[in-house]
Amino acid sequence: MTVPVAIELSDELTPALLAVVYEAFGKTQEDEIYDTLAQVSEGAALEYLYLDRVGAMAGGGLHEADQTLHEIKMLDSVVTNEDSTLTIDATWQVIGTVGHEEHLHVRGNTYSADLSISPIDGAWRITDFALREVIRDMAGEMFEVSEESHDD
C-alpha cells in the first residue's frame, strides 16, 4: 500500500492495526502477546505496548483470556505524513467484555493517542505510540453494535 493510499484509507488501517493490538492484549502468555504485537508494531511502539500489557498482568496471574473485543470505532483521526511515516492523532472507542477474577462486564472506553505508522518489511506497522487520554465513562452502558459486527 502506497503512502497516498494509506492516508486515504487511514480510517480503516488504524482500527485494523489496533484490533491486532487488542487481540494481543487478550493473550495470557508473554510470548503470544509479544508475537502478536510484533505483527503490527515495531521498535519503541512494540516495547511500549508489550510492557503495558505485561505490566497490567503483573500480580494477576492470568490463566485465561480476560477480554474480548467487540468493536473498535474511530471517532476522530487527523493524519499527516513525512516521507513514508504517517503520524495519526486518533481518538477511538473500544467496546468489549473484560474479566476480573470471577466476573465479566462490558466496557466502553475512549482512547486518544498519537500513533506513527510506517511501512516495514512490506506491511504497515505502528512505530510509535503515545497514549494521551483514556475515558472510562461507558463501563456497563448499553451500546449499539454496528452492522459490520453482526457479520462475524
Side-chain angles (χ1 to χ4, degrees):
M1 179 183 310
T2 64
V3 172
V5 171
I7 292 170
E8 183 179 330
L9 297 177
S10 65
D11 279 348
E12 296 171 31
L13 177 59
T14 304
L17 294 170
L18 290 171
V20 178
V21 170
Y22 287 106
E23 177 188 339
F25 283 12
K27 309 276 186 198
T28 59
Q29 300 299 313
E30 291 186 27
D31 59 336
E32 291 179 328
I33 295 166
Y34 186 89
D35 291 345
T36 304
L37 286 171
Q39 294 173 20
V40 296
S41 62
E42 178 87 13
L46 174 57
E47 180 179 354
Y48 172 84
L49 293 167
Y50 173 74
L51 292 175
D52 183 63
R53 179 56 180 157
V54 171
M57 290 172 44
L62 296 175
H63 301 290
E64 297 179 22
D66 66 338
Q67 66 183 25
T68 302
L69 176 68
H70 298 296
E71 182 173 11
I72 295 176
K73 179 179 179 182
M74 292 301 295
L75 301 177
D76 189 35
S77 177
V78 177
V79 181
T80 56
N81 78 295
E82 184 174 321
D83 300 321
S84 62
T85 297
L86 305 185
T87 302
I88 304 169
D89 173 351
T91 302
W92 68 95
Q93 183 179 58
V94 176
I95 307 293
T97 305
V98 181
H100 300 283
E101 296 177 11
E102 295 183 12
H103 71 278
L104 296 172
H105 59 92
V106 173
R107 173 166 287 165
N109 291 343
T110 301
Y111 297 88
S112 294
D114 294 317
L115 296 90
S116 294
I117 62 172
S118 302
I120 297 173
D121 297 330
W124 286 90
R125 298 187 196 281
I126 302 168
T127 55
D128 197 17
F129 187 96
L131 185 63
R132 291 190 320 266
E133 183 176 31
V134 179
I135 301 171
R136 292 181 169 91
D137 61 356
M138 293 185 56
E141 290 187 18
M142 297 297 288
F143 60 91
E144 285 189 39
V145 177
S146 71
E147 289 299 317
E148 294 171 5
S149 296
H150 291 292
D151 297 338
D152 293 338

